[in-house]
Amino acid sequence: LKPEIINLNHLISEQKSLLTPLIGEDVTIALDLDPAIRLVKADPGQIEQVIMNLATNGRDAMPDGGQMTLSTRNIKFSGDSGEELNLEAGDFVCVSLEDPGTGMTEEVISRAFEPFYTTKERGEGSGLGLSTAHGIIEQSGGALLIKSQPGQGSKIRFYLPATEHEDPPVRAR
């Protein structure tokens, strides 16, 4: 990992133009970005990979197309409120990707982070997308959570610790 101080709103806004052709013309991406988002310290390339993996999974769950929403929010966990995610109390940034797709059963959710586990047909998926995303987020001090029900879509959130820095350095591209 090569962590940098980053603004996730800027990263997501920049990445949207790359995601659009990847997910196809039947799926649109709406952004709902908190303008007062806190900064995080993470590897921008790795976080871009997480978002790419989540977006392609969302696309695959919407065979008839639709709209997925990428959003950001500041979250404060206090006491044991972050316990479900194994996170300590503190300030975090939450990135959420929501799709109205096919959804997942509890059994699929319980295995979703296993390497090489996939519900796709042979040759159509490696089973590494969510496993990789989960590993990257945990290495960055955060957590990834799946909320889903069959026929009702999915909401996948990841949380990264907020940093006290105020302005990220300008990234060279």
Side-chain angles (χ1 to χ4, degrees):
L1 296 176
K2 295 181 181 175
E4 298 176 18
I5 305 301
I6 55 176
N7 179 316
L8 290 170
N9 286 352
H10 295 159
L11 185 137
I12 290 168
S13 295
E14 290 173 4
Q15 193 175 17
K16 183 181 178 192
S17 63
L18 299 173
L19 288 174
T20 302
L22 175 74
I23 61 170
E25 57 190 43
D26 293 338
V27 176
T28 58
I29 300 173
L31 299 182
D32 180 17
L33 307 177
D34 181 345
I37 203 69
R38 304 270 315 263
L39 301 175
V40 299
K41 186 172 185 176
D43 182 321
Q46 296 288 313
I47 301 305
E48 288 170 348
Q49 180 66 49
V50 168
I51 293 168
M52 186 91 54
N53 289 354
L54 298 181
T56 55
N57 279 357
R59 172 205 63 202
D60 294 347
M62 297 187 297
D64 298 326
Q67 177 177 289
M68 66 176 67
T69 303
L70 254 169
S71 62
T72 58
R73 295 288 176 266
N74 293 316
I75 303 286
K76 183 172 198 73
F77 291 121
S78 57
D80 60 357
S81 62
E83 203 169 87
E84 173 190 9
L85 298 166
N86 201 25
L87 295 173
E88 306 227 353
D91 293 318
F92 290 80
V93 173
C94 174
V95 176
S96 176
L97 189 135
E98 188 169 0
D99 71 67
T102 57
M104 294 180 250
T105 65
E106 285 296 323
E107 178 186 347
V108 169
I109 293 170
S110 72
R111 299 192 61 199
F113 300 141
E114 292 177 21
F116 306 110
Y117 175 75
T118 183
T119 59
K120 297 175 183 160
E121 296 296 321
R122 183 176 285 275
E124 291 191 22
S126 66
L128 291 173
L130 285 175
S131 174
T132 299
H134 182 254
I136 290 169
I137 296 303
E138 283 200 337
Q139 284 180 338
S140 300
L144 195 145
L145 178 68
I146 300 172
K147 297 282 187 185
S148 184
Q149 291 184 357
Q152 296 189 16
S154 298
K155 184 178 240 181
I156 301 180
R157 297 181 184 131
F158 66 86
Y159 301 83
L160 292 171
T163 183
E164 296 304 314
H165 291 84
E166 292 184 20
D167 291 314
V170 176
R171 269 180 65 197
R173 281 246 172 209

